[in-house]
């Protein structure tokens, strides 16, 4: 396994849906990692250095904005591609996501084909 994707969401059904959506990439050598909250996500990002992170915004312990800011600014792991994946689709929220360093902002409900396509593009599998 040389590519890693981290799925971060506090809702189990969303984690499962994303995992099922992305599991076809495991045939391409991609490892899927899972985190249930922001604090766990930050620990995994620091230890595993995933290539791509699907990051929920509203989570316990640390929200997605705090995790993204920490990754992009504090711990200086800027080469992690972060996609904020959230139900908060207002322009203010998108702008806040950009301010903390998110590479892309997607709103729920998401299109599984778009998630796979973007993942393949980010990981260089196209």
């Amino acid at each position: 396994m040389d590519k890693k994707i981290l799925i971060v969401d506090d809702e189990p059904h969303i984690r499962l849906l994303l995992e099922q959506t992305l599991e076809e990439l495991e045939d391409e050598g991609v490892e899927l990692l899972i985190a249930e909250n922001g604090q766990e996500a930050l620990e995994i990002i620091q230890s595993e250095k995933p290539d791509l992170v699907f990051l929920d915004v509203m989570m316990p312990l640390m929200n997605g904005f705090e995790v993204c800011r920490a990754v992009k600014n504090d711990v200086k792991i800027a080469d992690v591609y972060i996609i904020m994946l959230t139900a908060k689709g207002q322009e203010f929220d998108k702008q806040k996501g950009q301010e903390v360093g998110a590479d892309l902002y997607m709103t729920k409900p998401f299109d599984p084909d778009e998630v796979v396509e973007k993942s393949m593009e980010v990981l260089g599998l196209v």
Side-chain angles (χ1 to χ4, degrees):
M1 304 273 178
D2 46 291
K3 302 284 185 185
K4 297 177 184 174
I5 297 175
L6 174 61
I7 297 167
V8 186
D9 203 304
D10 61 325
E11 296 180 41
H13 67 281
I14 298 292
R15 286 195 309 270
L16 181 61
L17 184 59
L18 273 168
E19 193 173 0
Q20 289 174 337
T21 298
L22 294 167
E23 70 185 3
E24 69 185 74
L25 297 180
E26 290 178 319
D27 294 339
E28 305 289 332
V30 176
E31 181 180 1
L32 299 179
L33 307 167
I34 307 291
E36 298 178 8
N37 61 61
Q39 188 172 22
E40 183 182 6
L42 187 56
E43 291 168 7
I44 291 173
I45 290 169
Q46 289 177 298
S47 64
E48 297 289 332
K49 301 201 175 17
D51 305 278
L52 171 60
V53 177
F54 284 96
L55 183 62
D56 186 24
V57 170
M58 298 186 315
M59 295 182 292
L61 304 179
M62 280 181 87
N63 68 41
F65 293 129
E66 294 168 327
V67 173
C68 189
R69 181 181 297 116
V71 170
K72 295 293 187 171
N73 299 305
D74 301 338
V75 296
K76 305 286 185 192
I77 311 175
D79 58 339
V80 176
Y81 195 96
I82 296 180
I83 298 177
M84 305 290 289
L85 189 59
T86 177
K88 296 176 69 100
Q90 297 183 354
E91 194 57 39
F92 168 79
D93 298 309
K94 291 180 182 177
Q95 188 173 358
K96 189 170 180 179
Q98 290 175 339
E99 287 172 5
V100 297
D103 296 287
L104 186 66
Y105 199 98
M106 296 174 83
T107 53
K108 296 175 187 172
F110 58 86
D111 177 352
D113 291 337
E114 186 180 352
V115 166
V116 170
E117 188 176 302
K118 188 64 186 175
S119 298
M120 292 180 72
E121 179 187 322
V122 170
L123 298 176
L125 301 173
V126 258

